[in-house]
Amino acid sequence: MPDDPRHLVPRTDRVLDDPRLSGTLATVHRDVVRHWVRRAQERVRTGVLDPDAVVETVLDAATPRSARVINGTGVIVHTNLGRAPLADEARRALEDAAGCTPLELDLATGRRGRRAPGVTKALLARVGEAEDALVVGNGAAAVLLAVTSLAGGRDVVVSRGELVEIGDGFRLPELLTTTGARLVEVGTTNRTRIEDYAEALSPHTGCILKVHPANFRMSGFTASVPVHELVRLEVPVVVDIGSGLLTPHPALPDEPDAAGALTAGADIVTCSGDKLLGGPQAGILLGRSGPVARARRHPLARALRPGKLSLAALEATLLAPTTPVLSMLTADEDDLRRRAEHIAAQLPGDVTVTSCESVVGGGGAPEVVLASAGLALRAEAAPRLRSGDPAVLARTREDRCVIDLRTVRPDDDGALVRALRAAVPAG
Ligand SMILES: *Cc1c(COP(=O)(O)O)cnc(C)c1O
C-alpha cells in the first residue's frame, strides 16, 4: 500500500536533524520542538498535512506571538491587556530582581531579615495614615486575608448593596465563605442604614466588611453607611476600596482612597496594586498595627504571599514620581490632539484625526469619561494592526477603527507610526 499515509510520515529524528530547525533548537527546549514535530506527524498520518510541510509547520509553531501591545482602546486599565502598564522605574526593578536579590537578607548585617521591608516602608511613606502594611498576591487575596484573620469562623456583616460580582463570574461573597466565615447580609439592595448593621451585631460578629461597588453606580433612592459611622459600632471594620487609589485624586471625585478610609477609622483597608495604583498584580492591606500584624501571622498569609518580582515592581511603583496610569488619566486633550496630528502627518492614506472618549477601565470609576483625541482609519486595518509586533489594539466605532492616543505611551508614538505604515496601504 504505497499510498498509505503512514509510510510517508517523516521520522522524528530526521525532522529534528533538518538544518532548517537548528535555530529553533538553539532557542526552544528540545522536548517542546519534539512535541510540535509529533503533532505535525499526526496530521500527516490523518492526511491533512503534506509530509513535506512538517518542518515549515514546526517553524510556524516556533514563531513567537507578540507579547507587546500598544493599547489604542482608550481603556486606561485594560484587564485583557494585563491591567496597568508599568512605570520605567518598575521595569528596571524587575530586571534587577530577576537575578539574586536581597529579598530576605539585611545586607548591612549579613543576617536574615524581614521579607521585602522596602515595600512596607514605601507604602507607609505614601499613606501616612497607616500604621502597618502587608502585600499579597492580588486584591481578592487581600480581602480574603483581612476578613479571615479578623473574623475567623465568625460572622462577617455586609450590606446587600455591596455583595458585588467583580468580573468573570467572580463573586466576592462566595470567596469570603470559603474559609468558614459566615456572611450576614444587612439592608436592601438600594438602602442600608446604620440600624441595619447594629441589629445584626452579636457575640458571633467577627467584623464588618464595606466593599466599594467599583464597577457600577446606583442612583436614585439609595443610602449607604459611611466608614466613620460604621466604626462607632465598635467591631473591626474592613474596607475594600478596590482600585488602589492611595490618596484622593481630583480627576476621580467619587473614587474612595485608602487614606480617607483610614482617617474615617477603618481597621484595615484593602486594594489592588495594578488598577489605579499603576503597579504589578498585587493586593495591599493597610491599617492599624494590631489587625495588620494579625493578618501577617495568619497561616493563609503564607499561601497568598507574592513573589520577588511583584514585590520589586510594587516598591519601585510606589517610589516613582508618577505612573503611566496617572499620566494617561491626566493627559491634556489638546496635547493628545497635537500628537494625533503629528502622527497623521507622517502617514499616507486614509488616516484622520478624530475626537474620542477614554475610560478608566479595570472595573473602576464607571462614570468617568475623558474627552480624548486619536486616529481614525479603515476598519480593515484592525486585524493587520493586531498581528504586528508590537500589536496595536484599536476600538471599532461605526465602521472606522479608532486609536485613542490617551492610552498610547508617548514613547510608543514612533512604533505606532511604523505599525500604521505597515497596516494602512498608501493612496
Ligand atoms: C478589583 C476589585 C477586587 C479584586 O481585586 P483583584 O486585584 O482583581 O484581585 C476586589 N474588590 C473590589 C472592590 C475591586 O474593585
PDB file of all heavy atoms in Angstrom, residues 46 207 308 313:
ATOM      1  N   THR A  46      -3.150  11.551   9.403  1.00  0.00           N
ATOM      2  CA  THR A  46      -4.590  11.652   9.137  1.00  0.00           C
ATOM      3  C   THR A  46      -4.847  12.292   7.769  1.00  0.00           C
ATOM      4  O   THR A  46      -5.989  12.541   7.417  1.00  0.00           O
ATOM      5  CB  THR A  46      -5.299  12.461  10.239  1.00  0.00           C
ATOM      6  OG1 THR A  46      -4.635  13.727  10.356  1.00  0.00           O
ATOM      7  CG2 THR A  46      -5.269  11.754  11.566  1.00  0.00           C
ATOM      8  N   CYS A 207     -16.327  40.798  62.054  1.00  0.00           N
ATOM      9  CA  CYS A 207     -16.020  42.123  61.522  1.00  0.00           C
ATOM     10  C   CYS A 207     -17.141  42.608  60.609  1.00  0.00           C
ATOM     11  O   CYS A 207     -18.013  41.832  60.221  1.00  0.00           O
ATOM     12  CB  CYS A 207     -14.684  42.128  60.757  1.00  0.00           C
ATOM     13  SG  CYS A 207     -14.696  41.191  59.222  1.00  0.00           S
ATOM     14  N   LYS A 308       9.143  37.648  44.429  1.00  0.00           N
ATOM     15  CA  LYS A 308      10.091  38.765  44.468  1.00  0.00           C
ATOM     16  C   LYS A 308       9.869  39.756  43.330  1.00  0.00           C
ATOM     17  O   LYS A 308      10.120  40.945  43.483  1.00  0.00           O
ATOM     18  CB  LYS A 308      11.532  38.230  44.434  1.00  0.00           C
ATOM     19  CG  LYS A 308      11.880  37.493  43.147  1.00  0.00           C
ATOM     20  CD  LYS A 308      13.352  37.123  43.084  1.00  0.00           C
ATOM     21  CE  LYS A 308      13.676  36.398  41.785  1.00  0.00           C
ATOM     22  NZ  LYS A 308      15.111  36.121  41.649  1.00  0.00           N
ATOM     23  N   ALA A 313       8.609  45.274  41.753  1.00  0.00           N
ATOM     24  CA  ALA A 313       7.905  46.211  40.866  1.00  0.00           C
ATOM     25  C   ALA A 313       6.969  47.104  41.679  1.00  0.00           C
ATOM     26  O   ALA A 313       6.820  48.294  41.376  1.00  0.00           O
ATOM     27  CB  ALA A 313       7.125  45.441  39.804  1.00  0.00           C
TER      28      ALA A 313
END
